[in-house]
Amino acid sequence: MAMARTTDLAVRNQIIQQHQKDISQRQIGRTFRLTQSTVCSTIKRFTTTGNSRPGKAPSWTLTLSDRELRLFRRHIRKNRHMAVADLVTWARQSFVKTISEASTRRYIKSRG
């Protein structure tokens, strides 16, 4: 098994600069002798977080009131065979708040 190699910040910034110049990921990987998956994950991290450093993206915590949370859990229980996308749509319409599919899945998982 090959040992994982870390990519330093200067190389990550150069990858992002090359990507912004519309150079393909494969070509960027060849230039820096990195795998295409490393280049892809660096670019993806930059586009989602705005930062090239590895680590978790700063996330917003969902702020549902206790009443909204009870209502949402009750709706999940009653409609347990409903698709997650439909549950998200229902929650967004009912609470007039942005709720992600990940948060919905977390609520479903906590309900068992």
Side-chain angles (χ1 to χ4, degrees), residues 4-110:
R5 178 175 90 167
T6 59
T7 312
D8 63 341
L9 185 61
V11 173
R12 280 189 244 126
N13 289 335
Q14 289 176 349
I15 289 171
I16 292 165
Q17 288 173 355
Q18 295 288 322
H19 175 69
Q20 289 173 340
K21 293 178 184 176
D22 291 330
I23 297 175
S24 70
Q25 292 180 11
R26 180 174 285 178
Q27 186 61 39
I28 295 170
R30 287 181 186 156
T31 304
F32 296 108
R33 294 185 181 188
L34 297 171
T35 62
Q36 188 176 355
S37 63
T38 302
V39 175
C40 179
S41 63
T42 302
I43 292 169
K44 186 175 182 181
R45 184 180 314 116
F46 178 74
T47 56
T48 56
T49 66
N51 191 355
S52 64
R53 293 177 185 233
K56 246 184 152 179
S59 60
W60 294 91
T61 56
L62 180 63
T63 53
L64 289 178
S65 68
D66 291 338
R67 181 179 177 276
E68 291 170 335
L69 188 58
R70 281 193 313 269
L71 181 63
F72 191 39
R73 286 183 176 159
R74 185 181 312 135
H75 185 75
I76 290 171
R77 241 189 342 259
K78 287 184 177 181
N79 301 293
R80 64 178 158 245
H81 298 296
M82 186 182 280
V84 175
D86 295 334
L87 289 171
V88 170
T89 303
W90 178 87
R92 287 177 181 165
Q93 291 172 350
S94 298
F95 305 136
V96 193
K97 292 184 180 179
T98 304
I99 184 168
S100 68
E101 284 194 22
S103 297
T104 304
R105 289 181 192 278
R106 192 169 45 250
Y107 284 128
I108 292 170
K109 189 174 181 180
S110 70

